[in-house]
Amino acid sequence: MVSQSQAHWPTVPISARDVDGPLFFTDDEWTLVRAATARIIPTDYDPGAAEADVVRFLDRFLSGDFVYASATGDGFLEIRGKEAEAWQARIRHRQSVYREGLAALKALSLDKYAKDFHELSDDEQDALLVETSGRPKPRHVQLHDDEIFNSGEGGPPPTNQPVSDAGLGFFDMLVAHTRQGFYADPVYGGNKNFVGWRVIGFDGPKSLADTVAGRYTTTDYMIMGATWPYPQSPRVQRFGR
């Protein structure tokens, strides 16, 4: 959603951000992030974070430029004034979290295995990420159709950003941003060729312009018949047709 103040910001063509290589990461950091995100959403019978180019999403996000895609989807709003100052303060904190976290992960890899992280086996990489997170590796989760999809239950859809990255440590921030990069609109640098959407069977809009103009709706993905507690909300959010 573009606010009234944002509507007056100039638009920067998407080509200004569509460059080869990193804008924020060093080459070594880019390689490390690509390997680490590939273990958070690994490639198996479906593409993972590597194929979705999640590292590019993260790099563009941390570069601190061009935060909001324009309504047409062919550029970014160049934020100014207080909004720009607030964003820069936010992004500087996240930049420092990544710089320190990546340096620590690299040092841990060299200390444990005398190799860089991307040179390790999957199991070795997982072991380092477990140590970095301070928690056990999550178990495999299996969704059962009868329990989940045919329950007839539902509720309000989540907000666009249900989990904030404010206050997160390096590993948790990396996981949150990996998910965002895998599923976000490709205009932000990740979800290359709509890989993330195709994995979950979501056709998605071809551009942000389709969503803004109302040419695209997620009605077909809602749980039909579910009770919606806010009758004043738009029809598409009430799980109805």
Side-chain angles (χ1 to χ4, degrees):
M1 183 67 68
V2 177
S3 71
Q4 188 172 9
S5 63
Q6 292 170 4
H8 300 290
W9 291 341
T11 300
V12 179
I14 197 169
S15 59
R17 186 173 170 172
D18 190 19
V19 298
D20 293 331
L23 296 177
F24 169 72
F25 292 131
T26 65
D27 290 340
D28 285 346
E29 288 172 338
W30 177 285
T31 301
L32 175 51
V33 170
R34 182 176 177 85
T37 56
R39 295 311 304 153
I40 294 172
I41 303 181
T43 303
D44 43 31
Y45 47 84
D46 282 319
E51 290 77 15
D53 217 4
V54 166
V55 62
R56 191 168 185 270
F57 167 87
L58 277 167
D59 178 75
R60 274 39 177 178
F61 170 69
L62 291 168
S63 71
D65 296 324
F66 314 141
V67 181
Y68 304 106
S70 63
T72 58
D74 59 358
F76 294 86
L77 301 181
E78 184 181 6
I79 59 176
R80 294 181 173 181
K82 293 296 183 183
E83 289 93 344
E85 292 176 15
W87 179 260
Q88 289 300 326
R90 174 187 177 188
I91 215 66
R92 279 194 297 270
H93 166 70
R94 285 148 183 80
Q95 288 173 342
S96 65
V97 170
Y98 269 91
R99 281 266 139 84
E100 294 171 9
L102 290 173
L105 183 57
K106 177 182 177 67
L108 183 63
S109 179
L110 293 174
D111 179 61
K112 293 274 187 178
Y113 300 106
K115 295 180 181 178
D116 280 322
F117 185 88
H118 69 277
E119 299 176 307
L120 304 179
S121 69
D122 291 349
D123 288 340
E124 290 170 338
Q125 290 178 346
D126 287 353
L128 293 187
L129 292 177
V130 165
E131 185 169 344
T132 299
S133 72
R135 300 187 298 273
K137 183 179 177 179
R139 64 180 178 83
H140 289 287
V141 176
Q142 183 175 3
L143 299 179
H144 302 283
D145 289 351
D146 291 341
E147 296 179 12
I148 303 297
F149 298 107
N150 298 326
S151 64
E153 298 178 355
T159 60
N160 289 336
Q161 297 292 338
V163 178
S164 172
D165 60 1
L168 296 181
F170 166 67
F171 180 79
D172 290 326
M173 189 177 290
L174 179 64
V175 170
H177 291 161
T178 298
R179 291 169 176 165
Q180 291 173 3
F182 193 71
Y183 296 113
D185 192 289
V187 73
Y188 291 103
N191 193 10
K192 184 178 181 180
N193 297 324
F194 304 100
V195 160
W197 291 355
R198 288 191 284 110
V199 164
I200 61 175
F202 176 55
D203 58 356
K206 299 307 178 187
S207 75
L208 289 177
D210 289 340
T211 302
V212 174
R215 294 189 294 267
Y216 184 82
T217 174
T218 56
T219 299
D220 291 340
Y221 296 91
M222 303 299 182
I223 300 176
M224 305 310 297
T227 301
W228 179 253
Y230 311 116
Q232 72 274 19
S233 297
R235 176 176 63 84
V236 67
Q237 291 186 335
R238 294 204 302 270
F239 307 93
R241 293 184 181 275

